[in-house]
Amino acid sequence: MPPEGRQMIEQRDFVAVVSGLPRSGTSMMMRMLVAGGLPPVVDHERTANDDNPHGYFEFEPVKALKEDDSWVAKSKGQVVKVIYKLVYDLPIDVPYRIVFLQRDLGEVVASQEKMLEREGRDPHAVDRDLMIKLFQGEVLDFQTWARAQRNIEILFVDYSAIVTEPEAAAQKIAEFFDCGLDVRAMAEAVDPTLYRNRA
């Protein structure tokens, strides 16, 4: 990205946030936005593995937002991954543009089960249908809440649509953030081989 593009991004008066359910494609979206030119807020404590071979793009202090959110306002012009349940804890005096990943809930749960299995944990500790119903309610509640927040602009994007048509998705996302992102680089960051749990 040319220097003027980077400067444009740095001057943006909002924190870019990638959110969604676990295993909904949030790491892929982070990879796209970083490729497009948004600097990430990450600490690399959680390293790449078979579940996310390109990395998780996580920042540990996100988990402790209730105790310390002092880093958030300093992250304007950057992108951070915040799981949907923790978005509620972001400070309300900071503007955000959130891209929220939506994915078939059956695929989400199947992907979670595979990850738990690889970690040696019981993937069926919670009934699948119950988990899907729980996620449905929580996502609907989140959507209603987020749309009502004056400091939040939000874009809902479908995981499968990104994998199927990465250029069209990248264009839409770049227009939403409106900060000179490299659409081609974003599209090229999509790895369709990682769409391993399909409905």
Side-chain angles (χ1 to χ4, degrees):
M1 174 169 287
E4 60 271 19
R6 293 194 198 96
Q7 186 177 14
M8 186 179 182
I9 287 170
E10 290 166 3
Q11 290 176 349
R12 287 296 165 181
D13 190 34
F14 61 82
V15 177
V17 175
V18 170
S19 191
L21 292 168
R23 311 305 301 163
S24 64
T26 52
S27 297
M28 176 189 71
M29 180 55 59
M30 285 292 293
R31 187 168 183 248
M32 289 176 69
L33 292 173
V34 171
L38 271 175
V41 181
V42 293
D43 54 24
H44 304 292
E45 286 197 23
R46 191 176 187 186
T47 57
N49 56 24
D50 289 342
D51 294 303
N52 271 4
H54 297 304
Y56 283 86
F57 296 91
E58 293 184 354
F59 187 54
E60 279 296 307
V62 168
K63 298 175 182 177
L65 273 168
K66 282 186 177 179
E67 289 74 36
D68 180 14
D69 61 15
S70 60
W71 57 270
V72 177
K74 303 171 187 174
S75 302
K76 290 179 181 178
Q78 302 177 71
V79 61
V80 62
K81 185 165 79 170
V82 182
I83 203 70
Y84 73 111
K85 284 188 175 182
L86 297 179
V87 172
Y88 296 106
D89 297 330
L90 288 168
I92 62 173
D93 58 346
V94 177
Y96 307 98
R97 290 194 189 176
I98 300 175
V99 58
F100 189 94
L101 274 293
Q102 295 181 304
R103 184 177 180 181
D104 180 274
L105 293 178
E107 293 180 357
V108 167
V109 173
S111 182
Q112 288 184 346
E113 289 173 347
K114 291 283 180 61
M115 186 171 70
L116 290 171
E117 196 171 354
R118 273 192 282 266
E119 293 174 351
R121 294 190 280 171
D122 181 7
H124 306 296
V126 179
D127 179 75
R128 175 181 283 205
D129 290 339
L130 179 62
M131 183 64 70
I132 289 174
K133 188 175 181 179
L134 177 67
F135 280 155
Q136 284 175 334
E138 290 187 347
V139 169
L140 284 173
D141 288 345
F142 176 84
Q143 290 174 341
T144 301
W145 173 84
R147 289 184 173 121
Q149 306 309 303
R150 293 185 177 181
N151 63 323
I152 289 177
E153 293 181 50
I154 191 162
L155 175 69
F156 296 95
V157 294
D158 183 72
Y159 173 80
S160 62
I162 296 171
V163 176
T164 304
E165 298 185 53
E167 289 188 16
Q171 182 65 48
K172 182 178 180 181
I173 295 160
E175 288 174 359
F176 171 68
F177 284 111
D178 188 26
C179 58
L181 295 179
D182 186 332
V183 174
R184 177 176 292 182
M186 290 171 65
E188 290 175 350
V190 177
D191 185 352
T193 66
L194 297 182
Y195 192 179
R196 294 174 290 203
N197 296 285
R198 298 174 184 255

